[in-house]
């Protein structure tokens, strides 16, 4: 019996798959840890992948 492979996920072109990053604010808390904020890619909402778009045949330019 053959195995069905799922379709490959498309990597987000805006972030190249690196959807979330931690950015230091430059300060430290009383324990000495760096203060960071998390930023997510606005195109893929932090998932790193996008859904495939269907291309309609015969669509005019």
């Amino acid at each position: 019996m053959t195995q069905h492979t799922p379709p490959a996920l498309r990597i987000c072109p805006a972030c190249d798959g690196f959807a979330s990053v931690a950015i230091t604010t430059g300060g430290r808390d009383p324990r000495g840890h760096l203060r960071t904020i998390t930023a997510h890619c606005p195109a893929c909402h932090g998932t790193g992948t996008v859904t495939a778009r269907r291309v309609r045949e015969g669509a005019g330019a």
Side-chain angles (χ1 to χ4, degrees), residues 54-61:
R54 288 187 176 185
V55 177
R56 295 190 314 176
E57 290 185 23

Side-chain angles (χ1 to χ4, degrees), residues 15 17-24 36-42 46:
C15 65
F18 296 97
S20 298
V21 295
I23 303 168
T24 61
T36 60
I37 58 172
T38 304
H40 299 289
C41 173

